[in-house]
């Protein structure tokens, strides 16, 4: 168990360091845009600092796999949530990013909302949460395709608004929500893949997986998520866009994943209230967060 706790804390450090390194690398590069993805990839792959950040994120993913092998998902998520606070601290110290009082309260409320959802989970006992293995493909597509379309549309809308010279700089909430929707779809696809790989022989599992929508959803979200996230991270503060993206991803997966994979809601009134109120609080905070940045840009962030 303690190995799992240590791995979770290590994953938090690696993820936070990876995002900060990528943000710092992007600040030294020419302005990138999703309209020129090949140029974006060429620029970031030519930056040793960005590659170092990507390797840190990959190592964080490896540490996360170790966590899920030794700790219940509910306990792991509770530890991962603390990584958002670490990210804000590193961004302030290493990137010179300043958060307003309103944003600090909002981030605190987001942490509270995620903790409420985590506390509503139960991994053992007679009333433990059920774990779904598969979902009807039409239902998955009904959930994922509109989410992908909404994410791309929201990102495109934020890009159009950012090109207006007389508008205040955006805080990145729209970018975070858009990328978070894509990563939420990716999380559902990963869950579907895991269900296929644990059933039957290897050959039959691979054939069944290729007949499912999951690998193709992963390819779409991986390609678009990489390009969109890097362009957004260059324009906006990592201390805001990453927590927003993480929140949207977690809530999307928790709510729609529960429904799609047939995982029942808690029967206990307290756990049900925590899950519902936590979701409502997080969505409300996201809607209430400021949409424009009135603070001066940090030196590491180029003008769009």
């Amino acid at each position: 168990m303690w190995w799992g706790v240590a791995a979770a804390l290590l994953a938090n450090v690696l993820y936070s360091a990876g995002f900060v390194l990528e943000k710092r690398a992007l600040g030294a590069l020419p302005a990138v845009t999703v309209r020129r993805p090949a140029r974006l990839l060429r620029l970031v792959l030519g930056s040793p600092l960005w590659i170092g950040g990507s390797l840190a994120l990959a190592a964080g993913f490896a540490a996360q796999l170790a966590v899920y092998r030794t700790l219940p998902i509910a306990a792991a998520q509770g530890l991962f949530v603390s990584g958002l606070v670490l990210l804000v601290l590193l961004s302030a110290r290493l990137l010179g990013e300043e958060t307003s009082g309103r944003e600090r309260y909002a981030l605190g409320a987001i942490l509270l909302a995620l903790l409420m959802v985590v506390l509503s989970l139960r991994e053992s006992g007679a009333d433990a949460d059920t774990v779904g293995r598969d979902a009807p493909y039409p239902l998955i597509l009904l959930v994922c395709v509109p989410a992908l379309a909404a994410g791309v549309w929201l990102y495109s809308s934020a890009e159009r608004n950012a090109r207006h010279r007389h508008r205040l700089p955006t805080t990145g909430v729209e970018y975070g929500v858009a990328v978070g929707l894509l990563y939420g779809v990716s999380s559902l696809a990963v869950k579907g893949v895991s269900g296929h790989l644990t059933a039957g022989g290897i050959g039959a599992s691979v054939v069944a997986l290729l007949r499912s929508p999951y690998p193709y959803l992963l390819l779409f979200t991986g390609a678009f998520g990489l390009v969109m996230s890097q362009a957004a991270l260059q324009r906006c503060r990592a201390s805001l866009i990453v927590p927003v993206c993480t929140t949207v991803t977690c809530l999307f997966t928790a709510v729609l994943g529960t429904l799609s994979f047939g995982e029942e809601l808690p029967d206990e009134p307290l756990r049900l209230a925590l899950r519902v109120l936590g979701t409502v609080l997080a969505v409300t905070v996201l809607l209430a967060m400021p949409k424009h940045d009135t603070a001066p840009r940090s030196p590491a962030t180029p003008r769009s």
Side-chain angles (χ1 to χ4, degrees), residues 219-272:
L219 288 174
F220 182 91
T221 55
F224 277 78
L226 173 63
V227 174
M228 291 166 59
S229 63
Q230 297 308 306
L233 193 60
Q234 187 186 62
R235 291 178 176 83
C236 311
R237 285 177 285 140
S239 56
L240 187 68
I241 190 172
V242 175
V244 170
C245 176
T246 302
T247 301
V248 173
T249 299
C250 291
L251 291 175
F252 183 94
T253 306
V255 176
L256 295 181
T258 297
L259 298 176
S260 300
F261 287 85
E263 298 181 348
E264 298 178 355
L265 292 173
D267 293 328
E268 297 178 12
L270 177 59
R271 292 174 57 214
L272 179 61

Side-chain angles (χ1 to χ4, degrees), residues 18-85:
F19 280 119
V20 169
L21 287 175
E22 285 190 349
K23 170 68 175 178
R24 197 172 184 88
L26 288 165
L29 295 177
V32 298
T33 174
V34 294
R35 291 176 293 174
R36 300 179 65 184
R39 176 177 178 271
L40 184 153
L41 292 176
R42 177 174 55 82
L43 287 173
V44 296
L45 292 177
S47 169
L49 189 60
W50 186 91
I51 293 176
S54 299
L55 292 176
L57 293 177
F61 178 75
Q64 187 176 6
L65 292 178
V67 173
Y68 285 134
R69 292 179 63 87
T70 55
L71 289 179
I73 293 178
Q77 293 302 315
L79 293 171
F80 289 146
V81 164
S82 64
L84 296 178
V85 178

Side-chain angles (χ1 to χ4, degrees), residues 75-96:
Q77 293 302 315
L79 293 171
F80 289 146
V81 164
S82 64
L84 296 178
V85 178
L86 176 62
L87 175 69
V88 173
L89 294 176
L90 287 178
S91 298
R93 178 59 63 91
L94 300 179
L95 299 176

